[in-house]
Amino acid sequence: METLIQKHGWIVLVWFFIFSYFLGLIWQAIMQRVWGNAILKELSTDSALYLKTKLGEFRVDGTHRKFSFKLKKDKAWQAVGFENVRNIHIFREVNGGALIEFILGDWGLWDLKGRYRDVINTYKIQITLQDSRDIPIFVLRQYEQREMWLGHLFLYVGNRILKALHLYQEGEDVAQEKLAHLVDTFNAVGFAINVRD
């Protein structure tokens, strides 16, 4: 008498591959998530704004035309007039992700060639003052897997599926959305800030 697995082994095998691919997609969604884009607190009136992120606290006073900030490491608030604010922009940076790649077990000999090595994309949304100081408001990070040949194709297909399910966003798109939100919020309280490309 045949067992269930012997009789329907191919069905079990197909379901095993589907389940494995599904788990792989979940892992891919977690790994390539954009980190650091949370607003911890946001309060606003017609002429004032209070914003708290992981990097510090920020206040905009439209009545007195002041931008105040207290970064995470600072003990006291600093204030500058709107005229002392040069612009707001996104600073992009690419850092190596080889250690994460090695620890998570996706490392191979092809990673010795730079174009196949995983990276961490960093997007700093910051305000630049007239005295050239940069005041960071958000630092967003996204792990980017880089594979060769078929691995690249599977990664591309996986990202398209996750994007369709709203489980994946490009870090650049998230940074642009966050920047647009900040500019709109600042404009609403009377702080017309320039955006640098």
Side-chain angles (χ1 to χ4, degrees):
M1 185 172 184
E2 289 183 285
T3 64
L4 183 66
I5 294 178
Q6 290 172 334
K7 191 173 181 181
H8 302 289
W10 65 273
I11 294 174
V12 171
L13 189 61
V14 167
W15 277 108
F16 173 76
F17 282 120
I18 290 171
F19 183 71
S20 297
Y21 189 74
F22 178 72
L23 284 179
L25 282 177
I26 291 173
W27 180 248
Q28 192 173 338
I30 292 169
M31 286 295 298
Q32 298 189 95
R33 175 175 188 264
V34 177
W35 301 92
N37 63 347
I39 294 175
L40 302 178
K41 193 176 218 180
E42 182 177 342
L43 303 168
S44 64
T45 64
D46 290 340
S47 63
L49 168 72
Y50 172 79
L51 182 70
K52 183 176 183 179
T53 68
K54 291 180 179 180
L55 299 180
E57 299 175 73
F58 310 91
R59 289 189 291 210
V60 177
D61 182 352
T63 305
H64 298 100
R65 301 184 49 76
K66 295 279 184 193
F67 171 66
S68 305
F69 55 94
K70 184 172 90 169
L71 299 178
K72 193 173 182 179
K73 63 183 186 304
D74 295 342
K75 295 187 191 275
W77 285 86
Q78 298 180 50
V80 295
F82 288 175
E83 69 279 359
N84 292 321
V85 175
R86 189 180 299 163
N87 58 47
I88 188 168
H89 62 278
I90 300 171
F91 177 76
R92 293 161 187 86
E93 188 176 40
V94 178
N95 300 309
L99 183 61
I100 295 171
E101 187 175 14
F102 182 75
I103 291 171
L104 297 176
D106 189 25
W107 190 87
L109 285 176
W110 288 107
D111 292 315
L112 294 174
K113 184 150 178 75
R115 64 189 252 192
Y116 301 124
R117 199 173 301 139
D118 293 0
V119 296
I120 298 171
N121 295 307
T122 303
Y123 307 91
K124 294 179 186 176
I125 301 175
Q126 55 194 18
I127 290 178
T128 301
L129 304 179
Q130 290 293 354
D131 61 7
S132 297
R133 282 186 293 163
D134 289 322
I135 311 302
I137 299 176
F138 290 101
V139 175
L140 296 94
R141 289 187 174 90
Q142 184 177 40
Y143 183 73
E144 180 186 341
Q145 291 176 279
R146 292 180 173 178
E147 301 297 333
M148 60 171 294
W149 298 331
L150 283 177
H152 179 73
L153 177 66
F154 286 126
L155 202 57
Y156 176 80
V157 170
N159 283 343
R160 295 299 129 218
I161 292 169
L162 291 172
K163 200 172 211 175
L165 296 171
H166 303 288
L167 296 174
Y168 172 76
Q169 287 182 292
E170 295 282 345
E172 179 74 31
D173 295 340
V174 175
Q176 289 294 341
E177 288 171 15
K178 195 59 75 174
L179 178 65
H181 172 75
L182 283 174
V183 170
D184 290 345
T185 306
F186 289 164
N187 284 333
V189 295
F191 185 21
I193 191 166
N194 295 325
V195 178
R196 185 179 88 196
D197 292 331

